[in-house]
């Protein structure tokens, strides 16, 4: 699904990822990232942005590139539907992976949470008021924030949930009232509640890495520089080896000549 004019750059990005990441080879990266980009509608001149964001998150959080990408792939459909950017999806994926949630569970659960908020924002009623109340705002304020920046709205919601215990309320009971009763979905939300700072940092880092678009090339160049230095060492060792053999054989060769 990659256009011919972008194929060379795409291939380079995937090879760089394969050489930079311990658990993500070039073939797996190519398939997963191409599908992610297709779902998100990503411009095909931005594959390096995906790679840079992925590497930066993998280097700075308690997870690696493969689970981040697998999680992001599962979240992409819902993320695109509610208006998240590629960087925001990757940021949420890194945060979820960092609190020990696997892609199969976390991706679908997080998608359901996003869809519930999208439906509440679109239809209004008690659900919207409940989301707004937890986030510390009115239903209409929550809708306005959701419509303009769904990532910020979600962040406000989990921050609000994290404060409920201090206010003498149960986060589990509030989630139950809102309709978040499924065990996997509730567990995902509660883990997010216990790591609000981590979610915020992941979002900020993902957005910054996407804009800078340098992390992948820097990481790959470190690996290539290491490989180049090893090859130079090998060449130098081989030359020294040849010289030593020459020195050792020199008396014998002179005798033969005589």
């Amino acid at each position: 699904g990659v256009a011919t004019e972008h194929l060379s750059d795409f291939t380079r990005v995937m090879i760089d990822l394969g050489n930079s990441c311990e658990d993500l080879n070039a073939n797996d990266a190519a398939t997963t990232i191409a599908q992610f980009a297709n779902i998100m509608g990503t411009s095909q001149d931005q594959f390096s942005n995906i790679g840079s964001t992925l590497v930066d998150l993998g280097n700075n959080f308690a997870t690696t590139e493969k689970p981040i990408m697998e999680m992001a792939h599962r979240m992409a459909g819902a993320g695109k539907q509610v208006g998240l950017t590629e960087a925001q999806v990757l940021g949420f994926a890194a945060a979820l992976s960092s609190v020990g949630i696997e892609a199969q569970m976390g991706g679908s659960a997080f998608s359901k949470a996003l869809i519930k908020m999208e439906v509440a924002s679109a239809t209004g009623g008690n659900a919207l008021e409940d989301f707004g109340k937890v986030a510390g705002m009115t239903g209409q304020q929550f809708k306005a924030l959701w419509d303009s920046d769904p990532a910020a709205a979600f962040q406000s919601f989990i921050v609000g949930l994290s404060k409920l215990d201090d206010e003498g309320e149960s986060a589990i009971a509030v989630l139950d009232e809102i309709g978040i009763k499924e065990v996997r979905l509730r567990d995902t939300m509660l883990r997010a509640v216990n790591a609000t700072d981590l979610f915020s940092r992941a979002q900020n880092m993902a957005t910054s890495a996407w804009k800078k678009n340098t992390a992948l090339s820097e990481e790959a160049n470190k690996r290539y520089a290491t490989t180049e230095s090893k090859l130079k060492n090998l060449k130098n060792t081989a030359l020294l080896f040849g010289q030593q053999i020459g020195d050792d054989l020199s008396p014998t060769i002179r005798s033969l000549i005589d």
Side-chain angles (χ1 to χ4, degrees):
V2 180
T4 303
E5 63 266 29
H6 298 297
L7 190 56
S8 179
D9 289 340
F10 174 81
T11 304
R12 177 57 186 257
V13 168
M14 300 312 140
I15 292 173
D16 283 352
L17 280 169
N19 288 326
S20 301
C21 307
E22 298 295 338
D23 62 348
L24 186 66
N25 63 51
N27 286 335
D28 290 342
T31 301
T32 308
I33 290 176
Q35 291 174 353
F36 174 79
N38 288 337
I39 296 168
M40 295 296 298
T42 308
S43 172
Q44 293 201 343
D45 60 2
Q46 293 183 315
F47 286 116
S48 61
N49 298 77
I50 297 175
S52 290
T53 306
L54 187 58
V55 166
D56 212 22
L57 292 169
N59 284 346
N60 288 281
F61 288 88
T63 183
T64 56
E65 288 82 359
K66 185 176 182 178
I68 295 174
M69 199 62 242
E70 289 176 348
M71 182 81 76
H73 183 267
R74 286 183 173 272
M75 292 164 48
K80 173 66 174 176
Q81 186 67 33
V82 305
L84 294 180
T85 66
E86 295 90 343
Q88 288 170 337
V89 171
L90 288 165
F92 280 129
L96 290 169
S97 298
S98 295
V99 293
I101 298 176
E102 295 182 359
Q104 186 172 359
M105 181 187 93
S108 59
F110 191 81
S111 295
K112 288 179 182 178
L114 293 177
I115 292 169
K116 280 183 177 291
M117 291 182 182
E118 174 70 13
V119 171
S121 179
T123 59
N126 292 334
L128 179 60
E129 293 299 326
D130 288 339
F131 279 121
K133 181 181 178 181
V134 173
M137 57 188 79
T138 66
Q140 286 305 309
Q141 288 173 330
F142 185 84
K143 173 178 170 55
L145 181 58
W146 179 263
D147 290 344
S148 62
D149 189 348
F154 181 87
Q155 189 71 22
S156 296
F157 177 74
I158 62 172
V159 168
L161 275 177
S162 69
K163 296 177 180 178
L164 289 178
D165 287 337
D166 295 335
E167 298 170 358
E169 293 188 64
S170 167
I172 294 176
V174 170
L175 289 172
D176 190 72
E177 290 176 11
I178 294 175
I180 298 177
K181 302 179 181 181
E182 184 186 339
V183 175
R184 286 186 173 184
L185 176 53
R186 188 174 62 190
D187 182 56
T188 299
M189 295 298 289
L190 290 174
R191 291 200 197 189
V193 166
N194 293 327
T196 54
D197 289 342
L198 185 149
F199 272 73
S200 179
R201 285 194 297 110
Q203 284 296 304
N204 292 335
M205 183 171 293
T207 301
S208 175
W210 183 278
K211 291 179 180 177
K212 289 180 180 178
N213 191 24
T214 57
L216 175 59
S217 60
E218 290 173 357
E219 187 72 15
N221 286 337
K222 290 177 186 176
R223 301 300 178 99
Y224 297 146
T226 301
T227 302
E228 183 182 14
S229 66
K230 287 182 178 179
L231 288 171
K232 285 182 179 177
N233 286 340
L234 175 62
K235 178 183 176 182
N236 292 336
T237 302
L239 289 172
L240 290 171
F241 179 63
Q243 290 170 2
Q244 186 64 51
I245 289 177
D247 292 341
D248 291 345
L249 291 179
S250 180
T252 302
I253 293 172
R254 287 177 182 171
S255 296
L256 288 171
I257 292 173
D258 291 339

